[in-house]
Amino acid sequence: MARDPAHPRPGFSRRIFLGSSGAVAAGAGLAGGAQAQAQQDPAVAPEALSKVTFTLNGKRRTLAVEPRTTLVEALRDTLGMTGTKIGCNHGQCGACTVLMDGRRVNSCLILALTTEGAEIVTVEGLADPGGTLHPMQAAFAEKDAFQCGYCTPGQILSAIGCIEEGHAGSAAEIREYMSGNLCRCGAYPNIVAAIEAVRDEQEG
Amino acid sequence: MDNFAFFRPTSVAEAIDLASGDQKRDFLAGGTTMVDLMKLAVQRPGGLVDITGIKELESYEIGPGRLRFGALARMAVVADDADLREACPALTEALWKAASPQLRNVARLGGNILQRTRCPYFRDTAYTQCNKRDPGSGCAALEGGVTSLHAILGGSEHCVAMYPGDWAQALIAFDAEVRTRGPGGSRTIPFADLHVLPGDSPEVETILEKGEIIISIEVPVVPAMRASHYLKARDRESYAFASASAAVGLELDGETVKDARIALGGVASVPWRAGAAEEVLRGRTFSEALAREAGRAAFADATPLEHSAYKIPLGADVVAGALMTAHARARAGAKGED
Ligand SMILES: Cc1cc2nc3c(=O)[nH]c(=O)nc-3n(C[C@H](O)[C@H](O)[C@H](O)COP(=O)(O)OP(=O)(O)OC[C@H]3O[C@@H](n4cnc5c(N)ncnc54)[C@H](O)[C@@H]3O)c2cc1C
Ligand code: SF4
Ligand code: FES
Ligand code: FES
């Protein structure tokens, strides 16, 4: 379940590389037909990087990634946005949940190159610029819906998605539709309570 | 993960061109199987052909005589479709009881039916024996491994990997077809012929040829669909693969069974239609005892492995339980029509 041992921190070396060269390579448009976006050589050479542009928490970001870079690696390692967590790295725990074009997704199984043009929202983008928490963040604090907090960014984004999708009708439905987010601390009852509170606020 | 070349075709023809030929290239849909297995170094394609830019493959239609699902329709979107829930509850339930909401938002139906086994020895390259991963290397499951997650139907002495998907069971129960296009042209494949038994070449999982892309999955509408159900027994209440599952459908004439459909998940090496169990029901008066008889018939030919004998009674109960629900739905439907 750990990262590929051959590439323990794939983004790290790349960041150093980018920092020293300052260059962003391979500017060819991704949407423009069938072109190889990168070479097969696993060494981090300029030709192996290609450009991807997405909107992150309302801001357009362009970055250079390898084909194998996942979205969560691009967020954490390339952009330094560490609010999104990695638990299992295999789609099993939900710690890496972000919103992509309004849908909650596991960012550990999404290749960064496939996010061209997407709108991504991470936990850093939820509070308003003045610092007022998103209602779901406030409800998690209010209902004590975490202990260690590791799963919490993923839980909160998933909870927002759960209500958005119309699957927060009852406690049982919330449990079913939040099943993609594991909490080793077992904060589940309070997470359900937080979601019910936000749902009721929105309906009220 | 090894690096790889990445391609973004916008048409089916381009995608086929890119994926045919000698290079080791695979299609990428939602990536929830592919990227997972690439991280594990179980799959190491030289290139990925990302087909999600081919927008025409995303649509689906719940028609009066035929259901048509584009290969790129998202699991979550189709699972939430109210018309499908009415037309064929089993097809809806087999989707929303699979994986997690996040995975269903990303995974596509074409990728879903081609998902690969969860055999723990297949997924862990520290085990060098796996005929599916490395033909001729042996089978760590059969050679002293834990076989609790393995197939009791359809396995061979070379591989007892279980086909883990849910939706495929509802598709095979209702005679779905798969439309494909490849370098050699277009064809329609009965769903029951898509996956192949492991035999002595477990590395071959489907009859698809290199570069052949699934365009759509189509299902003819039959009366038994309305009174259908997908029952899934698993280790935890949600978000787990099936220990045993059943997709069933019933058409009744009074209490006499006119048509019965039964397929089994979590127990077989490929999507599994339980024809013998269907035969037990056809033309007879429905009762709980009959449902249980059908459940037992579904597993008459099962070969329990050292740690998977539990699947036989569990699977028989699941079939019977699913039939009881389908029967209740058929009765409710009949009342609705009076
Ligand atoms: C933690 C976890 C839990 C899961 N639990 C369940 C579960 O309970 N039940 C269940 O049924 N599934 C489960 N899954 C599996 C999941 O449903 C599949 O991974 C998913 O449906 C695959 O779809 P995808 O679009 O992501 O496919 P991809 O990963 O993109 O592709 C899968 C395979 O299909 C090929 N392919 C994709 N589309 C086409 C096409 N149109 N034509 C030809 N080839 C194509 C690819 O080349 C690849 O080989 C789980 C997965 C994970 C990670
Ligand atoms: S059961 Fe099949 S997939 Fe599993 S170890 Fe044996 S050969 Fe490999
Ligand atoms: S890190 Fe566990 S699902 Fe992505
Ligand atoms: S709060 Fe610790 S894992 Fe959820």
Side-chain angles (χ1 to χ4, degrees), chain A:
Chain A
M1 308 278 255
R3 285 163 183 276
D4 181 344
H7 306 286
R9 302 287 295 172
F12 189 63
S13 55
R14 185 168 55 250
R15 195 154 35 159
I16 292 168
F17 170 77
L18 280 175
S20 60
S21 80
V24 167
L30 280 175
Q35 345 172 338
Q37 293 296 325
Q39 308 300 306
Q40 265 175 260
D41 186 352
V44 181
E47 317 84 81
L49 292 168
S50 88
K51 207 167 73 166
V52 61
T53 300
F54 53 73
T55 305
L56 176 60
N57 300 327
K59 277 201 214 98
R60 250 170 84 91
R61 308 294 298 252
T62 298
L63 51 154
V65 295
E66 293 176 304
R68 65 179 166 193
T69 306
T70 57
L71 175 57
V72 73
E73 289 165 351
L75 293 172
R76 291 180 56 89
D77 301 338
T78 312
L79 295 172
M81 305 272 282
T82 54
T84 307
K85 304 302 180 202
I86 298 179
C88 65
N89 216 6
H90 283 276
Q92 298 170 359
C93 75
C96 64
T97 303
V98 301
L99 301 180
M100 179 168 160
D101 294 328
R103 299 183 179 93
R104 45 182 167 152
V105 304
N106 302 109
S107 59
C108 69
L109 288 186
I110 293 190
L111 296 175
L113 279 183
T114 65
T115 62
E116 179 68 26
E119 302 256 352
I120 314 275
V121 176
T122 67
V123 71
E124 290 96 337
L126 291 180
D128 74 18
T132 307
L133 293 182
H134 183 282
M136 192 61 77
Q137 290 174 301
F140 266 62
E142 167 74 18
K143 299 289 180 191
D144 206 8
F146 48 82
Q147 286 180 42
C148 76
Y150 196 80
C151 71
T152 310
Q155 296 279 3
I156 288 176
L157 285 151
S158 192
I160 291 169
C162 180
I163 293 182
E164 247 347 70
E165 291 161 13
H167 286 303
S170 64
E173 192 180 17
I174 292 170
R175 281 196 294 272
E176 172 63 41
Y177 281 85
M178 286 296 291
S179 66
N181 293 82
L182 306 188
C183 174
R184 296 302 292 267
C185 300
Y188 298 112
N190 296 1
I191 292 169
V192 173
I195 297 172
E196 286 182 307
V198 175
R199 176 203 63 199
D200 293 346
E201 244 168 67
Q202 286 183 358
E203 282 173 357

Side-chain angles (χ1 to χ4, degrees), chain B residues 62-67 219-222:
Chain B
I62 310 304
R66 210 166 172 77
L67 316 177
V219 200
V221 172
V222 294

Side-chain angles (χ1 to χ4, degrees), chain B residues 292-312:
Chain B
R292 290 193 175 281
E293 191 185 328
R296 284 191 298 274
F299 291 90
D301 296 333
T303 313
L305 303 168
E306 192 180 349
H307 308 105
S308 59
Y310 76 96
K311 286 183 186 278
I312 294 179

Side-chain angles (χ1 to χ4, degrees), chain B residues 224-238:
Chain B
M225 275 182 172
R226 289 198 164 251
S228 66
H229 181 47
Y230 186 70
L231 181 59
K232 182 175 178 184
R234 40 192 159 170
D235 278 355
R236 57 185 181 199
E237 198 175 323
S238 179

Side-chain angles (χ1 to χ4, degrees), chain A residues 90-92 109, chain B residues 26-36 43 51 71 75 97-99 103 106-108 110-112 114-115 118 164-167 208 212-214 232 239-241:
Chain A
H90 283 276
Q92 298 170 359
L109 288 186
Chain B
D26 283 311
F27 293 121
L28 178 73
T32 62
T33 287
M34 185 57 93
V35 176
D36 182 30
Q43 282 191 234
I51 57 175
M75 286 175 76
K97 292 179 184 179
L103 290 163
V106 171
R108 313 300 179 105
N112 178 276
L114 297 179
Q115 64 181 280
R118 306 295 290 195
D166 295 299
W167 204 51
L208 295 181
E212 186 170 3
I213 186 171
I214 297 177
K232 182 175 178 184
Y239 194 20
F241 287 94

Side-chain angles (χ1 to χ4, degrees), chain B residues 29-322:
Chain B
T32 62
T33 287
M34 185 57 93
V35 176
D36 182 30
L37 291 176
M38 285 170 66
K39 286 182 177 196
L40 296 168
V42 169
Q43 282 191 234
R44 313 175 80 159
L48 284 184
V49 178
D50 176 5
I51 57 175
T52 58
I54 311 174
K55 296 298 171 198
E56 78 224 46
L57 300 185
E58 271 187 46
S59 68
Y60 69 97
E61 291 141 46
I62 310 304
R66 210 166 172 77
L67 316 177
R68 196 195 63 82
F69 303 97
L72 289 177
R74 288 173 202 266
M75 286 175 76
V77 170
V78 175
D80 274 349
D81 189 281
D83 293 334
L84 180 61
R85 192 176 326 137
E86 199 182 322
C88 185
L91 277 170
T92 304
E93 292 160 344
L95 282 175
W96 73 253
K97 292 179 184 179
S100 70
Q102 288 96 318
L103 290 163
R104 297 195 296 270
N105 275 342
V106 171
R108 313 300 179 105
L109 297 180
N112 178 276
I113 59 179
L114 297 179
Q115 64 181 280
R116 305 196 67 195
T117 185
R118 306 295 290 195
C119 169
Y121 309 105
F122 170 73
R123 289 174 58 82
D124 187 344
T125 56
Y127 292 92
T128 51
Q129 301 145 287
C130 175
N131 288 325
K132 190 183 275 300
R133 217 183 331 105
D134 184 9
S137 62
C139 171
L142 284 171
E143 294 158 35
V146 176
T147 51
S148 56
L149 303 172
H150 293 81
I152 55 172
L153 289 162
S156 74
E157 58 183 309
H158 304 287
C159 177
V160 285
M162 184 243 287
Y163 175 81
D166 295 299
W167 204 51
Q169 312 311 335
L171 291 174
I172 200 171
F174 291 105
D175 298 321
E177 295 171 341
V178 178
R179 294 193 193 264
T180 69
R181 209 182 306 163
S186 301
R187 60 173 168 162
T188 301
I189 303 168
F191 193 82
D193 295 346
L194 177 67
H195 294 85
V196 294
L197 290 169
D200 53 15
S201 52
E203 73 281 8
V204 180
E205 293 177 358
T206 70
I207 63 166
L208 295 181
E209 280 159 20
K210 186 152 178 14
E212 186 170 3
I213 186 171
I214 297 177
I215 302 290
S216 65
I217 300 142
E218 304 198 8
V219 200
V221 172
V222 294
M225 275 182 172
R226 289 198 164 251
S228 66
H229 181 47
Y230 186 70
L231 181 59
K232 182 175 178 184
R234 40 192 159 170
D235 278 355
R236 57 185 181 199
E237 198 175 323
S238 179
Y239 194 20
F241 287 94
S243 303
S245 69
V248 307
L250 282 178
E251 182 190 359
L252 298 179
D253 180 1
E255 280 298 307
T256 307
V257 177
K258 259 179 91 176
D259 187 16
R261 307 296 181 103
I262 302 175
L264 309 176
V267 293
S269 49
V270 291
W272 197 266
R273 181 88 175 256
E278 293 176 357
E279 277 315 307
V280 165
L281 295 168
R282 271 194 203 104
R284 293 176 65 190
T285 304
F286 189 87
S287 66
E288 183 179 338
L290 187 70
R292 290 193 175 281
E293 191 185 328
R296 284 191 298 274
F299 291 90
D301 296 333
T303 313
L305 303 168
E306 192 180 349
H307 308 105
S308 59
Y310 76 96
K311 286 183 186 278
I312 294 179
L314 178 65
D317 279 356
V318 165
V319 168

